[in-house]
């Protein structure tokens, strides 16, 4: 069989392609971005006509994937963990409509918040929606679980979540490919009301989802991704989830783990395996990446009968952040290995805007225009430009979630703040800034809304932005007066007139949109190499 050296994200993507994938939808977000990028690069996907363009945001991506499932085809949707908040509406309801063709929702969590606002655990969403969740412990399982996930999805007619985490998504290992499957033929749901959630239908389908829960637990009991591995020393039992299994086994490279282990790769939890472990051990150690969801569930099941449960909640492991072999070793009571200590030559590398980034001149002009008003007037969004918070610019004051810049500026203006300024990137404007701008024009807010248009989704690797080439027309269509849509070029030689334009729009008592437009320095370099600039 073919072997490939792949990132965890790429392994999942290849697994989906080999399992008959017809469409992949997503919005870029670290650490999930490489799934769609891999499928976009693959010549097999191009030859087969697999759909694989970026979507406006995670919600539209999931809805498109659900629509492809409606046709009987196999589809995936990809996002990072906070993107699932954006897609929460179709996510929860897709559990009730169910699916026709297999649908996988690949969500990449970011414990330790390497590039995220929080480290929420997507397994809670899976439990909330009452759908199966798969969590690979290595790249081979990431590959295999794509196929197994489609089969599980089509067996129960439910979407299946595949949860990845940063360290697995962005590390490489060899995977062995399986036989390539053909895509499903076009077909429509046998039940014409399956995707109709009028209350009368929704109530019936919700009851069916509840009735399926016991079957999902039985499927987990028989899943090859859930294993009970006995050991000779019953002074401790270990429950280990996903990638944490690797961290555990790295402490026993020369010997087998002496303790009984329940290895979890499929949810809902396999209850019989826990009862078996409980019958042998009075102390359990829970190892899981992210939040202590399994630990809480086990404490709920066994907590009242004297069982000792160790994990993140009792301080045996840190309450936040990624796990690693050293932390697991300490939790096991083993002496720390010298190799697990951080080398002294490692130095902090704080992020910064790239040399030549157009946002630098945009922030300089904005700072100059706001000098008379002091600090605390600029609501920002998520992207490269969030780095404008750092010295030497110190140009922005907030970063909460995608799209929050415009809406917070509107709220602050209504609270009496003047001037009230929102700053957003072009891709994020297409993702979730449109509704904030619509609110602003509806309320006739006194705000200056700035779009930093660098013609790409730069922070995640220069993916296409769906709003490209349409920003002025969209702003005008949403109610912004044409004379208050200003397009400026962020260059040093333009700074005086840029500052003047900003001052004029600050003085205008209504909604202004100022677009700073210059390509990302890396996009420009790429175009020059291609002879397109």
């Amino acid at each position: 069989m073919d072997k490939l050296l792949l990132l965890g994200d790429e392994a999942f993507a290849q697994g989906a392609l080999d399992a008959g994938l017809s469409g992949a939808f997503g919005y870029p977000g670290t650490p999930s971005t490489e799934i769609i990028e891999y499928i976009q690069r693959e010549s097999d996907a191009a030859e087969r006509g697999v759909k694989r363009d970026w979507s406006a945001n995670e919600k539209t991506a999931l809805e498109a994937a659900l629509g492809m499932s409606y046709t009987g085809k196999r589809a995936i949707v990809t996002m990072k963990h906070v993107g699932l908040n954006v897609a929460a509406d179709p996510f929860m309801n897709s559990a009730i409509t169910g699916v026709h063709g297999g649908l996988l929702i690949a969500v990449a969590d970011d414990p330790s918040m390497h590039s995220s606002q929080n480290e929420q655990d997507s397994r809670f969403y899976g439990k909330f929606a009452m759908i199966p969740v798969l969590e690979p412990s290595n790249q081979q399982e990431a590959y295999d679980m794509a196929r197994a996930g489609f089969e599980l999805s089509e067996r129960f007619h439910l979407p299946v979540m595949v949860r990845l985490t940063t360290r697995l998504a962005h590390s490489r290992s060899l995977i062995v490919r399986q036989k390539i499957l053909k895509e499903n033929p076009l077909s429509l749901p046998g039940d014409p009301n399956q995707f109709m959630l009028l209350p009368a239908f929704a109530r019936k389908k919700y009851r069916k989802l509840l009735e399926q829960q016991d079957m999902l637990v039985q499927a987990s009991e028989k899943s090859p991704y859930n294993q009970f591995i006995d050991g000779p020393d019953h002074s401790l039992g270990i429950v280990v989830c996903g990638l944490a299994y690797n961290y555990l086994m790295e402490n026993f490279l020369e010997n087998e783990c002496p303790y009984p282990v329940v290895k979890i790769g499929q949810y809902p939890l396999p209850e019989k395996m826990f009862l078996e472990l409980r019958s042998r051990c009075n102390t359990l150690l829970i190892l899981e990446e992210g939040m202590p969801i399994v630990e809480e569930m086990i404490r709920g099941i066994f907590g009242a009968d004297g069982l000792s449960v160790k994990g993140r909640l009792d301080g045996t492991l840190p309450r936040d952040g990624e796990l690693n072999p050293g932390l697991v070793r300490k939790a096991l009571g083993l002496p720390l290995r010298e190799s697990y200590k951080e080398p002294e030559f490692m130095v902090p590398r704080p992020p910064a805007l790239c040399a030549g980034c157009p946002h630098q001149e945009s922030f300089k002009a904005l700072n100059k225009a706001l000098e008379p008003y002091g600090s605390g007037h600029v609501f920002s969004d998520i992207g490269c430009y969030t780095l404008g918070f750092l010295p030497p610019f110190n140009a922005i004051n907030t970063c909460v979630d995608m799209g929050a810049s415009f809406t917070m500026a509107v709220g602050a203006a209504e609270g009496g703040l003047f001037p009230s300024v929102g700053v957003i990137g072009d891709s994020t404007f297409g993702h979730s800034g449109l509704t904030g701008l619509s609110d602003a024009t509806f309320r006739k807010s006194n705000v200056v809304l700035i779009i930093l248009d660098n013609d790409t989704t730069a922070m995640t690797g220069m993916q296409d932005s769906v709003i490209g080439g349409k920003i002025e027309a969209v702003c005008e269509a949403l109610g912004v007066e044409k004379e208050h849509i200003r397009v400026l070029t962020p260059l040093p030689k333009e700074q005086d007139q840029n500052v003047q334009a900003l001052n004029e729009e600050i003085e205008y008592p209504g909604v202004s949109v100022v677009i700073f437009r210059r390509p990302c320095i890396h996009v420009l370099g790429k175009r020059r190499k291609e002879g397109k600039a």
Side-chain angles (χ1 to χ4, degrees):
M1 298 296 289
D2 291 343
K3 292 184 179 180
L4 297 172
L5 182 64
L6 298 176
L7 298 176
D9 277 350
E10 295 171 341
F12 172 75
Q14 186 66 58
L17 282 170
D18 289 351
L21 179 73
S22 294
F25 307 86
Y27 185 81
T30 306
S32 70
T33 311
E34 291 82 359
I35 299 172
I36 297 285
E37 287 185 328
Y38 183 86
I39 296 171
Q40 288 178 328
R41 289 196 307 268
E42 278 302 288
S43 57
D44 288 351
E47 291 171 7
R48 281 168 37 189
V50 174
K51 302 302 178 186
R52 56 199 192 284
D53 292 327
W54 292 109
S55 302
N57 63 36
E58 295 85 354
K59 178 178 183 289
T60 64
L62 199 156
E63 290 160 348
L66 188 62
M68 181 164 277
S69 166
Y70 181 91
T71 69
K73 304 291 185 70
R74 289 182 165 182
I76 64 171
V77 58
T78 73
M79 62 197 73
K80 66 182 297 178
H81 59 311
V82 289
L84 186 53
N85 299 335
V86 179
D89 198 358
F91 174 77
M92 294 299 297
N93 291 332
S94 68
I96 301 176
T97 64
V99 302
H100 183 39
L103 173 60
L104 303 184
I105 302 168
V107 187
D109 289 358
D110 188 20
S112 284
M113 295 179 269
H114 295 286
S115 58
S116 307
Q117 315 97 294
N118 69 38
E119 58 176 32
Q120 69 187 52
D121 191 322
S122 298
R123 294 176 299 169
F124 280 99
Y125 264 116
K127 186 173 185 296
F128 189 20
M130 294 184 284
I131 63 171
V133 176
L134 299 175
E135 186 181 15
S137 65
N138 55 44
Q139 287 76 6
Q140 184 66 55
E141 285 192 349
Y143 173 87
D144 294 337
M145 281 182 175
R147 181 169 308 216
F150 279 134
E151 292 170 353
L152 193 63
S153 177
E154 291 172 354
R155 175 183 169 193
F156 289 100
H157 303 287
L158 288 173
V160 172
M161 175 189 286
V162 179
R163 186 218 188 199
L164 303 158
T165 52
T166 304
R167 204 60 57 176
L168 174 63
H170 287 171
S171 59
R172 290 186 185 278
S173 183
L174 280 176
I175 63 102
V176 179
R177 294 175 69 181
Q178 300 184 46
K179 180 182 176 183
I180 299 173
L181 303 180
K182 292 182 179 178
E183 295 180 32
N184 288 349
L186 177 67
S187 67
L188 297 182
D191 175 6
N193 300 324
Q194 179 177 342
F195 291 84
M196 173 59 72
L197 288 187
L198 283 171
F201 298 121
R203 282 191 284 269
K204 291 179 182 176
K205 294 197 68 64
Y206 182 58
R207 290 189 198 107
K208 181 183 176 183
L209 177 63
L210 294 173
E211 290 167 1
Q212 286 180 297
Q213 296 307 300
D214 286 344
M215 291 183 282
L216 297 181
V217 172
Q218 292 171 23
S220 283
E221 300 283 3
K222 299 175 182 176
S223 170
Y225 302 114
N226 293 335
Q227 299 174 20
F228 182 95
I229 307 164
D230 205 359
D233 185 348
H234 291 184
S235 64
L236 179 69
I238 300 174
V239 179
V240 59
C241 307
L243 181 63
Y245 182 71
N246 274 355
Y247 298 148
L248 172 67
M249 300 314 294
E250 282 191 35
N251 283 287
F252 300 103
L253 292 176
E254 298 174 357
N255 303 295
E256 293 185 355
C257 177
Y259 308 110
V261 173
V262 170
K263 174 179 179 288
I264 301 297
Q266 180 172 331
Y267 306 80
L269 293 174
E271 296 172 1
K272 290 181 181 176
M273 290 187 189
F274 286 105
L275 292 173
E276 178 68 19
L277 188 68
R278 173 68 184 93
S279 71
R280 303 185 190 202
C281 307
N282 290 322
T283 300
L284 298 186
L285 172 64
I286 317 302
L287 305 175
E288 52 190 327
E289 280 280 66
M291 294 177 169
I293 178 172
V294 172
E295 186 176 348
E296 285 183 351
M297 292 168 70
I298 287 177
R299 286 176 183 274
I301 295 171
F302 299 119
D305 64 354
L307 178 72
S308 174
V309 180
K310 298 180 179 297
R312 290 187 184 271
L313 292 176
D314 74 333
T316 301
L317 292 161
R319 182 64 179 78
D320 65 330
E322 288 184 291
L323 295 182
N324 60 49
L327 290 173
V328 171
R329 189 171 185 82
K330 184 178 179 182
L332 291 168
L334 300 173
L336 185 63
R337 287 174 174 158
E338 192 68 25
S339 59
Y340 290 160
K341 294 180 180 176
E342 189 173 285
E344 293 182 358
F345 61 80
M346 294 286 287
V347 295
R349 292 188 301 162
L353 290 172
C354 300
C357 173
H359 299 336
Q360 297 186 23
E361 294 304 321
S362 305
F363 285 136
K364 288 176 184 175
L366 179 59
N367 283 347
K368 186 73 175 175
L370 291 177
E371 272 182 2
Y373 306 99
S375 63
H377 293 267
V378 183
F379 301 88
S380 185
D381 226 289
I382 296 175
C384 294
Y385 45 91
T386 312
L387 300 174
F389 169 76
L390 301 172
F393 305 105
N394 305 112
I396 63 172
N397 304 107
T398 69
C399 170
V400 179
D401 63 77
M402 295 284 277
S405 55
F406 282 10
T407 40
M408 288 183 70
V410 167
E414 296 196 350
L417 183 70
F418 177 80
S420 185
V421 179
V423 176
I424 198 169
D426 54 319
S427 181
T428 313
F429 178 61
H431 177 283
S432 51
L434 301 173
T435 47
L437 179 56
S438 184
D439 277 358
T441 56
F442 175 75
R443 296 168 185 265
K444 297 180 170 49
S445 302
N446 187 8
V447 291
V448 177
L449 304 179
I450 296 175
I451 301 172
L452 302 180
D453 180 8
N454 62 0
D455 198 22
T456 192
T457 311
M459 179 165 269
T460 48
M462 295 187 288
Q463 293 80 25
D464 292 336
S465 166
V466 301
I467 201 74
K470 298 178 286 190
I471 292 176
E472 292 95 311
V474 168
C475 291
E476 191 174 351
L478 289 176
V480 184
E481 295 177 13
K482 192 171 184 177
E483 57 270 32
H484 292 286
I485 301 173
R486 307 280 287 265
V487 180
L488 308 178
T489 304
L491 287 169
K493 64 181 181 181
E494 305 285 341
Q495 194 194 47
D496 288 346
Q497 63 189 57
N498 288 348
V499 173
Q500 182 181 343
L502 283 169
N503 282 328
E504 290 170 0
E505 297 308 327
I506 287 171
E507 291 303 316
Y508 169 65
V511 179
S512 300
V513 172
V514 176
I515 303 166
F516 280 100
R517 176 169 291 149
R518 187 156 70 88
C520 166
I521 193 71
H522 300 293
V523 168
L524 193 60
K526 182 179 177 183
R527 287 177 182 169
R528 283 174 176 162
K529 283 184 179 177
E530 295 172 348
K532 298 178 180 177

